[in-house]
Every structure is written in structure tokens, then in C-alpha cells.
Amino acid sequence: MSTQAPATAPRRGELDALRVLVVLGLVFFHSGLVFSPDDDFYVKNAETTDAVTVLAGFAVVWAMPMLFLVAGLGSRYSIRRRGPARFSRERLLRLGVPLVFATLVLCPLPQWLRLRAADPGYDESYWRFWPRFLTVRPDLADFPFVLDGEYFETGHLWFVVLLLTFSLLLAPVAAPLADGAERAGRTVERRPALLLLPALPLAAINAFLGMEEGFAGWNRWAYLVFFLFGYALADDGRVRAALRRLAVPVGVAGLVLFAGTAPGFLSLDDPFTEWSPFALVTRAVFGAAGWCWVVAILGLLDRRPREAGPPSRAMVYLGLAALPLYVLHQPVVVALAYGVVGRPAPIVVEYAVIVTGSLAVILVLYECVVRRTRLTRFLFGMRPAPPEAHSP
């Protein structure tokens, strides 16, 4: 008998919480990049600290992979309800519309502020810069990012680009993949250690295709592994039981592997792309460590149905807000940072001001603008609001 959760199964509260944690955590993460000596962020503080690089490493190894895994699980439920064709149309609207809207309206701002921050004499108005940002040409070599330009970028929306691409690639193979997942679930039930096998393709992808700084340190195609696992196996009862059993030992292994990447990342000139044996091993170990972290987190946070209570109203509210908050967060962080850096204040104070100010602005924009009208909900990928939706 299949142990896959039905389409009407209760929501996985711990995964909703993880998704919200990652999205809100990006405000802390990107605010930290303002003070990192190694990252080419839009706005940089004159005083930097290596502590940001170390702390960022603990986030990138698991956070965005987990976001793709949760998205894959959501795709499983959506395809069951709608079928592949309607799922594809729904993804094009829910992801494609905010992608186009935010690329046109929000993404030019960080690039314009980058130019202003880098050159005090730069005095071009935003409205003169905007058409230059939108001057693009096709570039299929960087698929799925098919447009390029001197100033054009999708910025933080790379996550939306990849998620939309993965969703459209999934739809035609959804049925056979689900059938294969049923057989895989039976196998995992007998041999739980097989859940470690995805570490191998992740290690190979990162090692031989290179890690990409612009995609939170992972190769873009490594995220497809997490997405497909979320779709195929993350909610299989047999797999969940195996994840719970493996959580502690695999978590320890993940910590050891992650620590093992430190010599490479700290000593190599370009650990993300170098082809030396040391760099290849460093990237491979990082990929394996990331898988171990995700397996451990899934197992440690999982609760059996009888132990899981209904999600709180706050979690439901933030869960619905996840995509709009993601779309809004980086332009707001960059704008706040532009106004804060260079002030006569310690790094800790500047960082706290950027984080708290950004969180406040993002939540106010969401509550007072995004969720209030049918048009703004549509532009940010939200479903039309029910009559009681304005009560948080």
C-alpha cells in the first residue's frame, strides 16, 4: 500500500516554518553582505569583517537547498490536484507574473544604487538609468537566464527563475517520476542508508560544473536535485521514518564534512571555479555536506501526524507572504544599506539598523500594499483574497 501523503494531507508545519525562516533569514544574510570583504554586494561598507564570511557559510550550505526541496514537495500536491497541464499554467502565473513585474519595477533599483555607491560623482537619475537597465540581448548560453545586458540582471529573482524552470521541466515527467518514487520508497524502507545517495550527484555537480556565487554558493543545477527529491520522496511515510532515524548520525557527518571544506575555501584563490584537485575535492565535499545538513534538518524537525498540531495563525499568515516577502526583500535591504553605510557608527549598530529597518519596511509593504488589492496580489504571485483575508 502506498504511504505517500494524499493531496488533501495536512500541511507540514515544520516545512512551512523552515520556508518562512529562510525567507526572513535572507534579510539578515543580505544585510551581512554589506559588511563582507569577499562578496561583490551592491552597497559595501568601508569597514568589513571576515566574521560575515564564516557565518554566511553556515547558511548557504542548507538554506536555499531547503527552499527548493519544500517547493518540490508543494509541486507534488499541486500536480495531484490540478494535473500537469494546469500545474504548468498555474506556475506560469504564480511565478512568471511576479518575475516579470519585479524585474521591471524592483530589480533596477539595486543596480542604480550600486553605481551611485561606487562613484560619488555619478548623478544619472533613476528614470534615465531605467531604460539602460532594460537594454538586453538574448543569451541562451546562460540558460535558463536567457537575457543579458550591461546593467540588466534578475538579481535575487534567480530563485524564481530556477523554480519556474524546474516546475516546467517537471510537468511532462511527473507521472513516471511519481511511479518510480513509489518503488524507491519501498527500497528506502529496507535500506535507509540509500537516502545518502543524492550526495553523490550533488558532489559531482558542484565539483565539475563549479559553484556559483550568484546562486548562494551552489551550482544552479544542484538545486534541481533538492527540488526533485522534495517532489518524489520528501513526504513518503517510509522516507520520513528513515530520515528521522538517520538525522543525528548524518547531522554529525554533515558538520564534519562542512568543517573539512574550510581549508579549501580559506586558502584557495577561487575555490568556486578552480580546477586543481584541492578545489575539486573542496567543492565535492561541500555538496555532500549540504545534503547531510538537509537530511538531518528534515529528520530532526519531522513530527509524526499524532504529534503535529495545526499551524498557528501567524505561521499561516507568513506562509502566504513568503513569495511577496522574497520578491521585496533585496531592493529594500540595498536601499536601507545605501542610506546607512558610511555613518559614524560601529558595524554592529549599522547592521542592526539595516536588518530592523528592512524587516519593518518589507512587512509594512506586504500588509498595506501587496495583500490589499486583487491587482497587487496577482502581481506578487498571490491568490485572490477571501473575504476574511485582511485579518492577520
Side-chain angles (χ1 to χ4, degrees):
M1 182 178 69
S2 171
T3 56
Q4 291 277 0
T8 57
R11 292 188 67 87
R12 297 277 299 278
E14 80 281 7
L15 297 186
D16 281 339
L18 273 175
R19 182 178 61 163
V20 171
L21 174 66
V22 171
V23 171
L24 293 180
L26 288 171
V27 174
F28 293 82
F29 177 77
H30 285 129
S31 297
L33 295 184
V34 175
F35 308 96
S36 171
D38 300 322
D39 189 270
D40 182 27
F41 198 61
Y42 300 92
V43 176
K44 302 293 290 187
N45 196 54
E47 183 183 358
T48 60
T49 173
D50 289 323
V52 173
T53 304
V54 176
L55 293 174
F58 285 98
V60 299
V61 72
W62 69 271
M64 294 308 294
M66 187 65 75
L67 209 56
F68 278 100
L69 187 148
V70 174
L73 176 58
S75 297
R76 181 63 177 261
Y77 292 135
S78 183
I79 286 178
R80 282 176 174 171
R81 290 195 306 269
R82 297 180 174 88
R86 289 182 58 206
F87 167 78
S88 297
R89 291 195 294 271
E90 189 263 354
R91 292 292 88 182
L92 283 169
L93 286 176
R94 293 285 308 285
L95 297 174
V97 169
L99 173 61
V100 173
F101 170 74
T103 300
L104 294 175
V105 175
L106 300 179
C107 287
L109 179 63
Q111 284 288 65
W112 180 65
L113 292 176
R114 183 202 295 272
L115 295 174
R116 292 181 65 87
D119 180 7
Y122 177 79
D123 61 356
E124 183 180 33
S125 71
Y126 178 77
W127 301 112
R128 292 188 61 186
F129 169 76
W130 187 69
R132 292 207 295 142
F133 174 87
L134 296 177
T135 302
V136 298
R137 60 183 178 276
D139 182 17
L140 299 181
D142 197 32
F143 182 84
F145 303 89
V146 295
L147 296 176
D148 191 21
E150 183 178 3
Y151 299 104
F152 178 82
E153 65 166 13
T154 54
H156 66 297
L157 299 178
W158 65 264
F159 167 74
V160 183
V161 175
L162 290 182
L163 183 55
L164 178 57
T165 301
F166 295 165
S167 299
L168 297 179
L169 291 175
L170 169 66
V173 299
L177 187 59
D179 292 340
E182 176 64 27
R183 295 190 294 272
R186 291 195 295 267
T187 303
V188 167
E189 187 176 28
R190 296 192 301 271
R191 297 182 178 136
L194 291 176
L195 281 177
L196 299 180
L197 286 180
L200 298 178
L202 289 170
I205 291 170
N206 270 4
F208 296 109
L209 297 183
M211 295 169 63
E212 300 182 88
E213 185 177 354
F215 303 134
W218 287 82
N219 184 279
R220 69 190 72 182
W221 298 110
Y223 290 123
L224 181 59
V225 176
F226 293 101
F227 177 79
L228 291 177
F229 179 85
Y231 171 79
L233 292 171
D235 214 34
D236 186 301
R238 298 159 299 196
V239 173
R240 291 176 64 179
L243 289 169
R244 290 192 291 268
R245 291 198 297 272
L246 291 172
V248 173
V250 171
V252 172
L255 288 171
V256 171
L257 290 171
F258 181 71
T261 66
F265 285 124
L266 295 176
S267 65
L268 291 166
D269 290 334
D270 188 1
F272 281 17
T273 60
E274 281 186 26
W275 275 87
S276 67
F278 191 24
L280 291 172
V281 170
T282 296
R283 293 197 295 270
V285 172
F286 179 87
W291 180 251
C292 290
W293 279 56
V294 167
V295 166
I297 291 169
L298 287 173
L300 290 171
L301 294 185
D302 193 12
R303 294 292 181 269
R304 296 171 181 84
R306 66 178 181 274
E307 300 172 341
S312 66
R313 294 182 67 190
M315 190 56 61
V316 172
Y317 175 82
L318 290 172
L320 293 172
L323 180 58
L325 295 182
Y326 181 91
V327 170
L328 288 168
H329 85 274
Q330 185 158 284
V332 172
V333 168
V334 174
L336 263 291
Y338 180 79
V340 168
V341 296
R343 305 291 180 181
I347 284 179
V348 172
V349 174
E350 291 184 320
Y351 177 74
V353 170
I354 295 171
V355 168
T356 55
S358 297
L359 287 172
V361 170
I362 292 165
L363 290 172
V364 167
L365 286 174
Y366 171 71
E367 175 61 31
C368 298
V369 179
V370 174
R371 70 189 296 259
R372 291 296 163 176
T373 72
R374 183 178 294 270
L375 175 61
T376 51
R377 293 176 69 90
F378 175 72
L379 292 176
F380 281 86
M382 299 181 69
R383 294 183 179 89
E388 68 278 8
H390 296 320
S391 300

